Amino acid sequence: MVKTFELDTLKMRMGDAQLARLDLHQRIQRALRALILDGALGAGVKLPATRGLALSLGVARDTVENAYVQLHRDGYIVRREGSGSYVSDTVGAVLRGAGARVRSRRGVRAGQGVRAIQAVRAGQGGNAAPLKASPGLSRRGTTIFDSGGVTDQQAVKAFATGLPETRTFPVDVWQRLQRQVLKAHRDSVLLHGDPQGAEPLRRAIAAYLNLERGARVSADQILVLSSTRQALSLCAQLLVDADGPLLMENPGYFGARKAFEAAQARIVPIDVDADGIRMDLLRQDPSGASCVYVTPSHQYPTGAILSLERRLMLTRWAHENRRWIIEDDYDSEFHYDGPPTACVQGVDQFDRTLYLGTFSKTLFPGLRMGYMALPLELVDAFARARSIMDGHTPQVLQLTLARFMEDGHYNAHVRAMRKLYASRRACMLDAIGRHLADIVTAIRPPGGLQVPCLLQPGWSESQTIRQAAEAGIVLPGISRLYAGADRLEGWLLGYASLAEHEIEAAMLRLRHVLARTPLR
Amino acid sequence: MVKTFELDTLKMRMGDAQLARLDLHQRIQRALRALILDGALGAGVKLPATRGLALSLGVARDTVENAYVQLHRDGYIVRREGSGSYVSDTVGAVLRGAGARVRSRRGVRAGQGVRAIQAVRAGQGGNAAPLKASPGLSRRGTTIFDSGGVTDQQAVKAFATGLPETRTFPVDVWQRLQRQVLKAHRDSVLLHGDPQGAEPLRRAIAAYLNLERGARVSADQILVLSSTRQALSLCAQLLVDADGPLLMENPGYFGARKAFEAAQARIVPIDVDADGIRMDLLRQDPSGASCVYVTPSHQYPTGAILSLERRLMLTRWAHENRRWIIEDDYDSEFHYDGPPTACVQGVDQFDRTLYLGTFSKTLFPGLRMGYMALPLELVDAFARARSIMDGHTPQVLQLTLARFMEDGHYNAHVRAMRKLYASRRACMLDAIGRHLADIVTAIRPPGGLQVPCLLQPGWSESQTIRQAAEAGIVLPGISRLYAGADRLEGWLLGYASLAEHEIEAAMLRLRHVLARTPLR
């Protein structure tokens, strides 16, 4: 270990690319600090006099003096009147013994860190062998790590699910409204906002829900969030205890399952049929779970619409057993064969329904805005939880969205998209019929942004997914949405974000790669 | 209970203000639905023929027919060829018995809901008696409710803490950059983003931390979040199990304590002294906690700077005991007597530090943007947890901020604010000295956005807070920041968001109301 000062070592450190943008005195200070921390300059080592070092480096003496002043202030060196500057003994004592080993670890990190993390990334959400979680995680941290997280599609790609068409979004209108908001509310939108959400947006959402979704809510019941996922996290944390049961449709939305499991809820699956969640099974459930998660307007992934009779029975059951209904109305805006059935919240006479909506599907996912309509008695608990979890949603986005809704742009956009998606659905069903009739049976969805396709006997879900992936096509599998061993195999093909020629081209490519698929 | 159809009742329902914006056929449909759900039209009741009802209402027959079609499709009515339309028996059967009681509850809600919730609000975060949590909450939900949440100041007000000056923020520059971002990345920013954060922003943050905070990180280690609170929630969930211990400075930041407690961590307080957290107590801690929360650059609320020796001992301790250090560097940008000491992350040779930073103080809180610099081995777990918790931060904000940093606006703004706050600190200390010298002892803070003031004997914290509140002045108390019974009394007075004349005016008002305060 080098124990005395070496000018070349200092110069080498000063040349470190990380320091390139610093002022000269900062570079000297940082380089000396690094040498001390690495043990290259041990406790008690004398530093050169400022005048001498300045000469050697070809800089002004003040520059070196500035560096020494900060090193001294921070405790790295001691300065003795008339004697000079020395590496601090206390620092040296604390560091002693750790230096050598640590330097080698640093070397590993600098050189291989990026590659290591890339390897980690590559495994995320794919079919690669699961990585072992860090030993420094808690038990729940390990659960979250092992779940793999939620992998969102970050680019338009056939046939990823859940993505709306964003290329036609009226960005210019949005920007104009945002300028108006910043002009009108310049001071307040830069500050903190109400954790429950900006009042104008809550009013607009309540009006929308009452008019378009048959809900019965006031602005007081609306909680503005960043996403449905945040709503699900809050539900699990506030309504379910760790290791406590939570009822969920089977098959069901994997994002919800991950959010609930991340909050350590124990999922109790309840089968669905053509009319949605089976009330006979729900009534017999012995778990005592405090809430049930449902997607009544368009069951995920089967597309079943919960019948009116079951809606009423569900609310009655929730009332009589003091349970909560978590109603995820994730894409109800897009029903193509007449208006969607009114939401459960609207027919719930007992105030047992927590309604979840999102703007990710109707506007764009990058907005990060969703909301809940809550029973009044729950509003305060949810708003408080949100205030602790992450405060609130950026007010400028909230107020811009409020104007977008008030001025009629929202309804106009949803109407235009509904028309567009209806013709894309027709195109998609037609393309499946022409190209894949011998491989899958498509279920014509009454609404939503994707078509469920069941594989015909002899075709393997995992194998078709793999082969399609090699051709750059995403086939979101259906079997992972089932809780038990009794799983259907197939895909849930997204079409809303794809133009008709893109659907046709991707389907041709898919047909081509699957033509080679042997029977299993 | 009215069992037959009455035209006047229908008309009354159709006049409901909530339905005013609907098309005529929707109003008819909705009004009939409400009558059925309320039990006013019981099972089997015959509805008028479409022609007759159209005549009575003075509308086209098609309008009534449209309403009936949807009621039929949704299952509210059955239509018998040649006989007419009847309220569905199944709906009636499910509803039977619940109608009357429920209607009266609805009445209560419609009339008194808003007032009830306002009463709840008024109690939030104030000194009012705590409200009872809803019986429908889980145990952890009750903990969160009882904590009261975090009450952020939503307007500039003397002497609220933690608020920066937002009135001078260069909104025009920000908007220009955002327009550029939307033009350059129109398609991608509307879609989902990387849960770890946009790469350009992660690079800008890493460069900033390395240059300005003496950190040693790469962009791969940065996780972009919505706030420090979100970072704290993630830390508690990933590193600590429910009911598991977590070490925290005493006194310490209440926001952190609430976030940890909301995640059911058990806080173990470790006292601080003039050099920051006491390493002797930390070493003796028997709890086996996996992590410790510290504010080294400017301890909250004492303002103590963690000495270099303790920084090194802390990292050594974490290394040897496999603990994590959560370093909250919340306002290190604002040190007024020379540059701040390098962060613990920068001197941590063992990669045990999770660094937390925020833009709420340096830019504006409404932005909702914070970040972590993580040990590489933890990055993936945190990114996955974020993907489940709420996905990611809006990309348009991230990329705008990246440009703001790259183009030098960030550093320029921080420099300007540092200068401004330094003179406001001087003004604040001067005003306290002139007006409150007999009441408090101000501790001159080396940095940050607030001045700690200790009450002199004979003055009561709670009483002064109450009296100031009556005069519209916020006095954030200090005693609530202590874990044990051994608490100092005083205030933590924010000054950064107040112009000098506002500081003086508020101080005069405060002096005036406190002059009347009797000894306790």
Side-chain angles (χ1 to χ4, degrees):
Chain A
M1 194 184 286
V2 182
K3 279 294 185 187
T4 56
F5 179 83
E6 286 185 357
L7 187 63
D8 287 345
T9 316
L10 176 65
K11 281 183 175 168
M12 207 175 68
R13 283 291 181 144
M14 284 174 61
D16 189 328
Q18 278 206 347
L19 307 181
R21 281 163 63 181
L22 287 175
D23 290 343
L24 202 49
H25 75 273
Q26 288 177 293
R27 275 163 63 191
I28 297 170
Q29 182 264 337
R30 205 65 74 78
L32 283 169
R33 195 190 72 165
L35 292 174
I36 295 170
L37 286 172
D38 286 354
L41 291 176
V45 168
K46 184 173 183 179
L47 297 187
T50 50
R51 185 189 303 268
L53 184 56
L55 269 173
S56 305
L57 294 173
V59 303
R61 187 179 169 186
D62 270 3
T63 304
V64 176
E65 176 61 22
N66 277 343
Y68 279 26
V69 163
Q70 200 186 336
L71 286 168
H72 177 240
R73 210 203 51 170
D74 288 351
Y76 288 92
I77 62 174
V78 291
R79 307 187 78 175
R80 300 200 192 104
E81 194 80 44
S83 161
S85 302
Y86 301 84
V87 175
S88 152
D89 280 339
T90 43
V91 173
V94 177
L95 288 171
R96 196 169 299 139
R101 185 168 38 78
V102 166
R103 271 210 309 292
S104 65
R105 283 190 64 227
R106 283 262 161 203
V108 169
R109 193 175 88 170
Q112 305 178 339
V114 176
R115 280 191 299 280
I117 200 80
Q118 281 166 346
V120 168
R121 276 305 128 65
Q124 187 179 356
N127 291 320
L131 286 147
K132 272 191 79 135
S134 154
L137 296 180
S138 64
R139 193 167 57 88
R140 59 183 168 192
T142 306
T143 304
I144 291 169
F145 182 90
D146 290 344
S147 79
V150 177
T151 310
D152 289 306
Q153 195 62 38
Q154 291 171 31
V156 174
K157 197 169 182 184
F159 293 99
T161 47
L163 278 191
E165 177 59 82
T166 55
R167 291 169 288 191
T168 56
F169 183 77
V171 169
D172 293 345
V173 173
W174 186 269
Q175 284 193 284
R176 177 164 54 77
L177 297 177
Q178 180 160 317
R179 278 196 300 278
Q180 291 173 8
V181 164
L182 274 167
K183 200 165 171 187
H185 307 282
R186 196 197 171 290
D187 291 337
S188 64
V189 295
L190 299 187
L191 296 173
H192 283 291
D194 184 342
Q196 193 184 341
E199 216 263 334
L201 179 58
R202 288 192 280 114
R203 258 189 286 120
I205 291 173
Y208 168 79
L209 289 179
N210 291 334
L211 290 179
E212 301 290 332
R213 299 298 301 120
R216 299 204 273 189
V217 296
S218 70
D220 292 317
Q221 292 172 262
I222 304 297
L223 177 70
V224 179
L225 297 169
S226 71
S227 54
T228 296
R229 264 171 246 181
Q230 188 171 47
L232 296 166
S233 289
L234 287 172
C235 285
Q237 285 178 42
L238 289 167
L239 306 179
V240 185
D241 272 316
D243 302 320
L246 190 154
L247 305 169
M248 187 174 158
E249 295 169 335
N250 179 42
Y253 174 49
F254 62 94
R257 199 179 61 230
K258 286 189 182 185
F260 295 146
E261 286 178 347
Q264 297 184 286
R266 180 166 49 82
I267 305 297
V268 178
I270 303 287
D271 289 351
V272 301
D273 63 19
D275 285 330
I277 195 162
R278 282 181 53 189
M279 283 306 301
D280 55 332
L281 298 178
L282 197 60
R283 284 216 193 84
Q284 292 159 21
D285 164 66
S287 73
S290 62
C291 52
V292 57
Y293 170 83
V294 286
T295 49
S297 73
H298 184 218
Q299 205 275 331
Y300 193 100
T302 66
I305 297 172
L306 191 67
S307 70
L308 176 63
E309 188 182 357
R310 289 209 190 156
R311 280 165 199 250
L312 297 173
M313 292 191 318
L314 181 64
T315 60
R316 192 73 180 265
W317 167 85
H319 169 61
E320 286 168 358
N321 299 281
R322 302 289 299 162
R323 311 290 169 86
W324 299 112
I325 301 163
I326 303 172
E327 176 182 27
D328 187 351
D329 205 33
Y330 63 105
D331 64 5
S332 61
E333 291 82 1
F334 301 116
H335 276 236
Y336 310 119
D337 312 322
T341 307
C343 60
V344 170
Q345 199 279 343
V347 300
D348 177 3
Q349 312 267 317
F350 312 102
D351 292 339
R352 303 304 298 172
T353 306
L354 295 77
Y355 176 98
L356 276 58
T358 178
F359 294 103
S360 289
K361 307 274 193 288
T362 51
L363 297 177
F364 55 94
L367 178 61
R368 310 316 296 148
M369 197 100 73
Y371 56 90
M372 298 181 83
L374 291 160
L376 268 181
E377 61 177 314
L378 291 180
V379 169
D380 214 47
F382 274 77
R384 289 180 186 191
R386 172 85 207 270
S387 80
I388 294 172
M389 184 183 263
D390 72 341
H392 52 89
T393 299
Q395 288 204 90
V396 65
L397 297 180
Q398 289 190 63
L399 292 180
T400 302
L401 177 54
R403 287 201 181 205
F404 195 81
M405 296 179 84
E406 286 160 7
D407 292 2
H409 301 295
Y410 183 73
N411 281 341
H413 183 67
V414 168
R415 261 198 310 276
M417 291 302 105
R418 191 184 295 134
K419 202 172 152 195
L420 183 70
Y421 298 164
S423 63
R424 287 181 179 180
R425 176 185 65 160
C427 164
M428 184 76 173
L429 289 167
D430 175 62
I432 295 172
R434 279 184 291 110
H435 298 300
L436 302 177
D438 53 332
I439 301 177
V440 293
T441 306
I443 299 169
R444 184 175 187 273
L449 313 179
Q450 48 259 339
V451 174
C453 296
L454 297 179
L455 279 161
Q456 295 187 359
W459 292 89
S460 147
E461 181 184 298
S462 58
Q463 191 169 341
T464 52
I465 288 174
R466 220 164 28 239
Q467 286 199 287
E470 283 164 20
I473 290 176
V474 180
L475 293 183
I478 278 182
S479 66
R480 65 182 171 146
L481 305 175
Y482 288 84
D486 197 15
R487 295 155 185 252
L488 293 180
E489 296 213 340
W491 322 312
L492 201 54
L493 301 187
Y495 59 83
S497 62
L498 304 170
E500 302 198 1
H501 69 90
E502 292 169 321
I503 292 174
E504 180 65 22
M507 201 58 81
L508 270 171
R509 275 195 348 263
L510 180 60
R511 167 77 256 183
H512 182 70
V513 295
L514 293 187
R516 295 181 285 106
T517 301
L519 294 185
R520 57 176 157 177
Chain B
M1 192 182 288
V2 181
K3 279 292 187 185
T4 55
F5 180 83
E6 286 186 356
L7 187 64
D8 287 346
T9 317
L10 176 65
K11 281 183 175 168
M12 206 176 68
R13 283 289 180 143
M14 285 175 62
D16 190 326
Q18 279 205 348
L19 307 181
R21 280 163 63 183
L22 287 175
D23 290 344
L24 200 48
H25 74 274
Q26 289 175 293
R27 276 163 63 191
I28 297 170
Q29 181 265 338
R30 204 65 73 78
L32 284 169
R33 196 191 71 166
L35 293 174
I36 295 170
L37 286 172
D38 286 356
L41 290 177
V45 168
K46 184 173 182 178
L47 297 188
T50 51
R51 185 190 302 269
L53 184 54
L55 269 173
S56 305
L57 293 172
V59 303
R61 185 177 170 187
D62 270 2
T63 304
V64 177
E65 176 63 22
N66 278 342
Y68 279 26
V69 163
Q70 201 186 335
L71 287 168
H72 177 241
R73 213 203 47 174
D74 289 351
Y76 288 92
I77 62 174
V78 290
R79 307 187 78 176
R80 298 196 195 110
E81 194 79 45
S83 161
S85 302
Y86 300 84
V87 175
S88 153
D89 280 339
T90 44
V91 173
V94 178
L95 288 171
R96 197 168 299 140
R101 183 167 40 77
V102 166
R103 270 210 312 290
S104 65
R105 284 190 64 227
R106 284 261 162 204
V108 168
R109 192 173 91 171
Q112 305 180 340
V114 176
R115 281 191 299 280
I117 200 78
Q118 280 165 348
V120 168
R121 276 306 127 65
Q124 185 179 0
N127 291 321
L131 286 147
K132 272 190 81 131
S134 153
L137 296 180
S138 63
R139 194 168 57 88
R140 59 184 168 190
T142 306
T143 305
I144 290 169
F145 183 91
D146 289 345
S147 80
V150 178
T151 310
D152 290 306
Q153 195 62 38
Q154 292 170 30
V156 173
K157 195 168 184 184
F159 294 100
T161 47
L163 277 192
E165 176 58 83
T166 54
R167 292 169 289 191
T168 56
F169 183 77
V171 169
D172 293 344
V173 173
W174 185 270
Q175 283 193 285
R176 178 165 51 78
L177 296 177
Q178 179 159 318
R179 276 196 301 278
Q180 291 173 8
V181 164
L182 273 167
K183 202 167 170 186
H185 306 283
R186 194 198 174 289
D187 291 337
S188 64
V189 297
L190 299 187
L191 295 174
H192 282 292
D194 184 344
Q196 193 183 341
E199 216 264 332
L201 179 58
R202 288 192 280 114
R203 260 191 283 120
I205 291 173
Y208 168 79
L209 290 179
N210 291 334
L211 292 178
E212 302 289 334
R213 299 297 302 118
R216 299 203 274 190
V217 296
S218 69
D220 292 317
Q221 293 173 261
I222 304 297
L223 177 70
V224 179
L225 297 169
S226 71
S227 55
T228 296
R229 261 171 249 181
Q230 188 171 47
L232 297 166
S233 288
L234 287 173
C235 285
Q237 285 179 41
L238 289 167
L239 306 179
V240 185
D241 271 316
D243 301 321
L246 189 155
L247 305 168
M248 187 174 158
E249 296 170 335
N250 180 41
Y253 174 50
F254 61 94
R257 198 179 62 229
K258 287 191 181 183
F260 295 147
E261 286 177 346
Q264 297 185 285
R266 180 166 49 81
I267 305 297
V268 178
I270 304 286
D271 288 352
V272 301
D273 63 18
D275 286 330
I277 195 162
R278 281 182 52 188
M279 282 306 301
D280 55 332
L281 298 177
L282 198 58
R283 283 215 194 84
Q284 292 159 20
D285 164 64
S287 74
S290 62
C291 52
V292 57
Y293 171 84
V294 287
T295 50
S297 73
H298 183 220
Q299 205 274 331
Y300 193 99
T302 66
I305 296 172
L306 192 66
S307 71
L308 177 63
E309 189 182 355
R310 289 208 191 159
R311 280 165 199 251
L312 296 172
M313 291 194 314
L314 180 64
T315 61
R316 192 74 179 264
W317 167 86
H319 169 60
E320 287 168 356
N321 299 281
R322 304 288 299 162
R323 309 291 170 87
W324 299 111
I325 302 162
I326 302 172
E327 176 182 27
D328 187 353
D329 205 34
Y330 63 106
D331 64 6
S332 61
E333 290 82 0
F334 302 115
H335 277 237
Y336 310 118
D337 312 321
T341 307
C343 60
V344 170
Q345 198 280 342
V347 302
D348 177 5
Q349 312 267 316
F350 311 102
D351 292 339
R352 304 303 300 172
T353 306
L354 294 78
Y355 177 98
L356 276 57
T358 179
F359 294 103
S360 289
K361 307 274 193 286
T362 51
L363 297 177
F364 55 95
L367 179 60
R368 308 318 295 147
M369 196 101 73
Y371 56 89
M372 299 182 81
L374 290 160
L376 268 183
E377 62 177 313
L378 290 181
V379 170
D380 214 47
F382 275 76
R384 289 180 186 190
R386 173 87 207 270
S387 80
I388 294 171
M389 184 184 263
D390 71 342
H392 52 89
T393 299
Q395 287 204 88
V396 65
L397 297 180
Q398 289 192 62
L399 293 180
T400 302
L401 177 54
R403 288 202 179 203
F404 196 81
M405 296 180 84
E406 286 160 8
D407 292 1
H409 301 295
Y410 184 72
N411 281 342
H413 183 67
V414 168
R415 264 198 309 276
M417 291 301 104
R418 191 184 293 132
K419 203 171 150 193
L420 182 70
Y421 298 163
S423 64
R424 288 181 179 180
R425 176 185 65 161
C427 164
M428 184 77 174
L429 289 167
D430 175 63
I432 295 172
R434 280 184 291 110
H435 297 301
L436 303 178
D438 54 332
I439 301 177
V440 293
T441 306
I443 299 168
R444 184 176 187 273
L449 313 179
Q450 47 259 338
V451 174
C453 296
L454 298 179
L455 280 162
Q456 294 186 0
W459 292 88
S460 146
E461 181 184 297
S462 58
Q463 192 168 342
T464 53
I465 288 174
R466 219 165 26 240
Q467 285 200 288
E470 283 163 19
I473 289 175
V474 179
L475 293 182
I478 279 183
S479 66
R480 67 183 170 145
L481 306 175
Y482 288 84
D486 198 13
R487 297 154 184 250
L488 293 180
E489 296 213 340
W491 321 312
L492 199 56
L493 301 186
Y495 58 84
S497 62
L498 305 170
E500 302 197 2
H501 69 91
E502 292 169 322
I503 292 174
E504 180 65 23
M507 200 59 83
L508 270 171
R509 273 194 351 261
L510 179 60
R511 166 78 256 179
H512 182 71
V513 294
L514 293 187
R516 294 181 284 109
T517 300
L519 292 184
R520 58 177 155 176

